[in-house]
Amino acid sequence: MSEELKTIETLTKSEYKYGWTTDIEADSAPPGLSEDIVRFISAKKEEPEWLLEWRLKAYRRWLEMEEPDWQNVHYPRIDYQDIIYYSAPKVKDRPKSLDEVDPELLATYEKLGIPLKEQEMLAGVAVDAVFDSVSVATTFKEKLAEQGIIFCSFSEAVHDYPELVKKYLGSVVPHSDNFFAALNSAVFSDGSFVFVPKGVRCPMELSTYFRINSAQTGQFERTLIVAEEGAYVSYLEGCTAPMRDENQLHAAVVELVALDDAQIKYSTVQNWYPGDEHGKGGIYNFVTKRGKCAGVNSKISWTQVETGSAITWKYPSCILQGDNSVGEFYSVAVTNNFQQADTGTKMIHLGKNTKSTIISKGISAGKSQNTYRGLVKIGKNAENARNFSQCDSMLMGDKCGAHTFPYLEIKNETAQIEHEATTSKIGEDQIFYCNQRGISTEDAVNMIVNGFCKEVFRELPMEFAVEAQKLLGISLEGSVG
Amino acid sequence: MLEIKNLHASVEGKEILNGIDLTVNAGEVHAIMGPNGSGKSTLAQVLAGHEGFEVTDGSVTYEGKDMLELSAEDRACEGVFLAFQYPVEIPGVSNTYFLRAAVNAQRKYHGEEEYDAVDFLSLVKEKMKIVEMDEKFLNRAVNQGFSGGEKKRNEIFHMAVLNPKLSILDETDSGLDIDALRIVAGGVNKLRSKDNAIVLVTHYQRLLNYIEPDFVHVLYGGKIVKSGGKELALELEDQGYDNIREASDSAVAV
C-alpha cells in the first residue's frame, strides 16, 4: 500500500469528532405509530383542529404508501412501530430568555461551538435552536419583528400565525407527496418558520442548528419559509449529532415559497453521525426539500454540503412556476467508510424564460457509494427554458463508487439544456506534486478536495464556508490514493 | 551537497537505474543528458522521493543525511526541489494559495514563523519578476489551463519562491519556444548561486547554450557512461547518441 493510501486510510478512520450525548430526561411518547400517537402529538402541542385533521389525512395516506426502493442505497428494513415519534426536553414553560434555558443544553451548544449568548451579542445571527424536537431558544426575534419578519419555531407559528401556516403548509410538498413526506406530515414535531413580508430584505442570516439527541427518536422536522413580493432571506441550516449505536431515522420536510421578485437562499451543512468505520450506526436521512418560485422573477438557491449520515436520500428541488424565475442547486456530497448517498435535485420548469443551474460535486472514499440523481423537466408552456448541469465525481481509493443518473423530460422544443459530467480520481501525481513542494499528504488531500468543491463553497455565506471546509477535512481525514 | 553511490532503482520489478554514481557540490550545475528511456527522468523522480520507484541498492547522501530515509515532503523541506517535466494541474486551488501552503509547510518544518497572506504576496510579487510572469497567474488554479510554456515557467517561479538548495530540473526546456526558453533559462541563471546546486535533465544541448553547466554526464541504460565538461554536450549535439550507444552496448557484450 502506498504512503498516500495509508495516510488516507488513517484520516478516513479518524473518529467522529462531535460524539457525546446530553442527559436530559425526555418527555416521550411510547414507541410505535397509530392514529392515537398522531393525536397525542397534536394534543401535546395544543394544536388547532385543522392541523390535527391534516396530520391524520397524511397518516392515512402514509398507511397506503410503499417505502421507496428505487434509490441506490441499501439498509435493513425500518420498523416504524419501533420508533418513538415524540420526545421533548423537560421545560415547564417556554423560556423568555437564554437565562431560562436548561444550562446543560447550553453546554451542549458550547461544545458544538455555538455559544448562543455570544451569537446574540456578536455574530448577528439569529438562532432558532432545535433540540430534539422542541425549540427551546430563539434569539433576535424582537429585532426581526421590527421589520415584520417572523422567525420562530413551527409550533409557535401554529399558535401565533395560524392563518399563514394554514395558507402555506403543504403548498409545496403536499401531505401525500411521498412516503417520507407523508410520514413527516403525520408526526412532525417542530421545526422553523420564517416569513419575510413584502419588500423586506432580511438584514441577517437566519440560522438553525439541529441536533439529534434522545436515543431512538426519529426526527421529523418541518420547516416553512415564505418570502413575499420583493423580499430576500438567507437561511442556514447546520447540524452535528452525538455518537450512538442505533440507526436513527430522520425524515424532514422543508418548504420554500418565493412570490414575485423574491429570493430565498437556503444553505445546509449536514454532519450527522455517519456510522462507524464498520458501517454500524449512523443516521438515516430521508429528506424532502422543495422550493416553489411561485412569482415572476423569483429565485431559489439551494446550497448543501453533505458529509454525514449513514444514508442520505435528499433532492432539494425547485418548481419554477413564475416567468423568468431562477432555480439553483449547489451540492457537495462526501461519503466515506460505508456511507451511502443518493442525492441531487429536480428542476421543474413551468414558467417562460426560467433558468436553472445544477452544480454537483460528489466525493467518495472508503467503501462508500455516492450517487447523483437529478431531473430536469421542461413543461410544454415553458418557452425558452434553460438549464446548465455539471456533475463531477471524485474517487478516493479503489473500494468506493460514484454514480450519476441525470434524467431529462423536455416537452418544449425551445429549451436549452447543457449537461457536463466528469469522474476523476485524486491522482497520486497530484499528491506527489504537493509533497514535492513540502506539503504533507493530509494537507494535500484537503487542498485538492477543497479546490474540487470551490464552485459550491463560494455560494456559501463566509462563516459557513469556513466551517464546511473544516468539515470536509474531518470527514476525509486520511482518504486518498 | 549530494552524493549518489551505486544507485539502483526499479519500477514494477523492472530495473531502470543500474548503478548511478554522481557527486554534486554547492555552486555547481550538472547536466544529465541521454537518449529516451535511459533513466533520466527516473533519476529525477527517485531523488525527489517518488514512491512509484523502489530503490534496490546503493545510497544517496544529501547534506550529510541519508536522503532515501526522508519522505518526499521532508526532502522538499530540506531544500530539494524538482521542476516537473509534466507539471500537475490542481483545479480550484490558486497558484498563490498553493505556494503559500508550500512555503509555510517548509517554514514550519524549520521552526520558523509562517507567512500571512499579505507578507507572502509581497514576496511573491518580487519573485515573479525573475520569470517575467504576469500577476494574473497568481490567482489562476495551479497549472490549469496553462500552456506548456507557462507551466514550465511556473515551475521556475515555484523554484524562485521556495529558494531550494538543490534543484533538479526535469526537461524544463521541452515544449518551449525560443522566447520562453530564454526567459526560463534567464530565471534559472538568476537563481544560480555559490550556495545552491542545479541538476539539469535534458535531451538537447540547446538549453545548455543558455544555462552553462560545469559538468555534463551521459546516462544510458540506467548508468552514467560518460562525464565531461560543457564541451561534451556540444560533441553529443554533433554526433548524436549513436556513438555512446555502440560503445556501451559493445562494452556490455564483452
Side-chain angles (χ1 to χ4, degrees), chain A residues 41-182:
Chain A
I41 294 169
S42 191
K44 199 90 184 156
K45 305 181 81 61
E46 300 162 25
E47 286 176 352
E49 187 62 25
W50 64 266
L51 190 50
L52 171 63
E53 284 309 315
W54 194 75
R55 285 178 181 276
L56 288 171
K57 219 163 48 175
Y59 173 70
R60 289 170 198 140
R61 277 305 301 268
W62 178 76
L63 286 177
E64 299 161 6
M65 295 168 102
E66 296 272 334
E67 193 170 332
D69 61 358
W70 44 263
Q71 64 270 30
N72 188 26
V73 298
H74 304 280
Y75 54 93
R77 270 195 87 79
I78 298 168
D79 182 353
Y80 291 92
Q81 295 307 331
D82 196 33
I83 291 172
I84 295 168
Y85 290 88
Y86 182 81
S87 143
K90 267 196 178 166
V91 197
K92 280 181 194 138
D93 298 299
R94 193 160 292 172
K96 306 241 165 10
S97 73
L98 289 180
D99 302 338
E100 297 177 20
V101 173
D102 189 331
E104 206 179 333
L105 206 62
L106 291 178
T108 306
Y109 290 128
E110 297 283 336
K111 270 193 245 172
L112 281 167
I114 333 158
L116 280 182
K117 283 196 164 265
E118 247 185 73
Q119 287 198 9
E120 192 172 23
M121 288 185 291
L122 305 170
V125 175
V127 173
D128 174 19
V130 175
F131 190 86
D132 270 18
S133 311
V134 168
S135 293
V136 289
T138 307
T139 52
F140 276 95
K141 236 192 300 188
E142 290 101 23
K143 265 198 176 170
L144 294 169
E146 283 168 21
Q147 301 200 45
I149 298 168
I150 302 167
F151 177 37
C152 62
S153 73
F154 203 91
S155 325
E156 281 177 279
V158 167
H159 288 269
D160 300 346
Y161 314 98
E163 290 312 311
L164 283 175
V165 175
K166 201 171 175 181
K167 183 171 176 188
Y168 291 108
L169 177 68
S171 70
V172 186
V173 181
H175 69 274
S176 56
D177 189 80
N178 67 67
F179 182 84
F180 296 109

Side-chain angles (χ1 to χ4, degrees), chain B residues 96 99 120-128 138 157 161:
Chain B
T96 327
L99 270 177
F120 186 70
L121 199 63
S122 47
L123 168 84
V124 152
K125 285 192 172 165
E126 200 50 44
K127 302 287 186 182
M128 295 195 82
L138 290 180
F157 170 55
V161 172

Side-chain angles (χ1 to χ4, degrees), chain A residues 134-430:
Chain A
V134 168
S135 293
V136 289
T138 307
T139 52
F140 276 95
K141 236 192 300 188
E142 290 101 23
K143 265 198 176 170
L144 294 169
E146 283 168 21
Q147 301 200 45
I149 298 168
I150 302 167
F151 177 37
C152 62
S153 73
F154 203 91
S155 325
E156 281 177 279
V158 167
H159 288 269
D160 300 346
Y161 314 98
E163 290 312 311
L164 283 175
V165 175
K166 201 171 175 181
K167 183 171 176 188
Y168 291 108
L169 177 68
S171 70
V172 186
V173 181
H175 69 274
S176 56
D177 189 80
N178 67 67
F179 182 84
F180 296 109
L183 177 63
N184 173 288
S185 301
V187 302
F188 71 87
S189 39
D190 212 334
S192 296
F193 177 77
V194 177
F195 177 81
V196 186
K198 198 168 171 175
V200 172
R201 190 180 167 87
C202 184
M204 56 187 95
E205 317 264 3
L206 301 181
S207 162
T208 301
Y209 282 81
F210 292 89
R211 184 155 163 79
I212 297 177
N213 201 268
S214 279
Q216 283 185 317
T217 304
Q219 283 269 304
F220 302 96
E221 304 288 348
R222 187 97 199 179
T223 296
L224 176 56
I225 300 176
V226 179
E228 281 198 330
E229 291 85 352
Y232 168 87
V233 63
S234 168
Y235 187 86
L236 316 182
E237 177 200 33
C239 37
T240 60
M243 190 178 263
R244 56 178 69 259
D245 263 343
E246 302 88 341
N247 290 308
Q248 286 188 302
L249 176 64
H250 185 98
V253 171
V254 176
E255 294 179 279
L256 312 181
V257 181
L259 303 184
D260 290 355
D261 303 300
Q263 249 190 69
I264 301 175
K265 188 173 167 58
Y266 192 105
S267 313
T268 309
V269 171
Q270 188 266 112
N271 181 30
W272 283 322
Y273 181 52
D276 66 14
E277 61 182 290
H278 307 293
K280 191 162 190 266
I283 304 295
Y284 291 180
N285 191 22
F286 298 94
V287 183
T288 305
K289 286 185 169 178
R290 195 174 303 153
K292 182 153 86 177
C293 285
V296 297
N297 306 318
S298 55
K299 181 176 174 184
I300 289 178
S301 303
W302 297 101
T303 306
Q304 59 171 20
V305 176
E306 301 279 320
T307 65
S309 296
I311 302 221
T312 301
W313 180 96
K314 182 179 173 188
Y315 315 90
S317 303
C318 296
I319 299 170
L320 304 172
Q321 189 177 44
D323 290 348
N324 312 317
S325 60
V326 176
E328 294 175 337
F329 174 73
Y330 300 96
S331 169
V332 167
V334 181
T335 54
N336 201 348
N337 295 319
F338 287 90
Q339 280 178 274
Q340 305 174 68
D342 193 312
T343 183
T345 184
K346 287 189 274 186
M347 291 293 174
I348 315 289
H349 293 251
L350 300 176
K352 297 182 176 56
N353 306 313
T354 45
K355 270 198 308 201
S356 62
T357 304
I358 299 172
I359 308 281
S360 163
K361 306 278 180 176
I363 300 164
S364 337
K367 293 177 180 156
S368 67
Q369 295 295 328
N370 201 326
T371 301
Y372 167 81
R373 189 183 303 276
L375 168 69
V376 176
K377 189 170 178 175
I378 313 284
K380 65 178 189 306
N381 298 321
E383 298 287 322
N384 301 315
R386 275 159 49 194
N387 163 265
F388 173 76
S389 302
Q390 187 184 329
C391 305
D392 298 324
S393 308
M394 184 179 265
L395 299 166
M396 300 191 178
D398 47 15
K399 294 175 197 128
C400 53
H403 317 272
T404 303
F405 299 107
Y407 303 91
L408 292 174
E409 280 177 38
I410 317 288
K411 300 222 169 81
N412 183 308
E413 58 188 16
T414 62
Q416 283 181 46
I417 311 288
E418 285 174 76
H419 181 88
E420 291 175 9
T422 64
T423 301
S424 56
K425 236 183 147 168
I426 274 207
E428 296 211 5
D429 55 341
Q430 283 176 321

Side-chain angles (χ1 to χ4, degrees), chain B residues 127-145:
Chain B
K127 302 287 186 182
M128 295 195 82
K129 294 176 191 155
I130 292 173
V131 278
E132 302 174 30
M133 240 164 94
D134 194 285
E135 277 189 30
K136 69 179 187 225
F137 286 97
L138 290 180
N139 293 322
R140 282 172 57 179
V142 180
N143 292 318
Q144 200 185 21

Side-chain angles (χ1 to χ4, degrees), chain A residues 1-4 428-441 443 447-452 454 469, chain B residues 48-51 72-73 76 80-82 84 88-93 98 101-102 105-106 142-143 155 158 162:
Chain A
M1 191 188 291
S2 73
E3 196 57 40
E4 285 81 20
E428 296 211 5
D429 55 341
Q430 283 176 321
I431 291 174
F432 178 59
Y433 191 69
C434 295
N435 287 161
Q436 209 299 307
R437 296 298 187 251
I439 300 165
S440 71
T441 298
D443 290 345
M447 187 188 280
I448 294 164
V449 168
N450 278 303
F452 176 73
K454 200 178 187 179
Q469 286 189 14
Chain B
H50 196 294
E51 294 205 347
E73 60 264 37
V80 178
F81 177 85
L82 173 64
F84 282 60
V88 177
E89 298 183 4
I90 308 181
V93 177
F98 175 79
Q106 299 201 9
V142 180
N143 292 318
E155 291 295 286
H158 286 189
L162 293 167

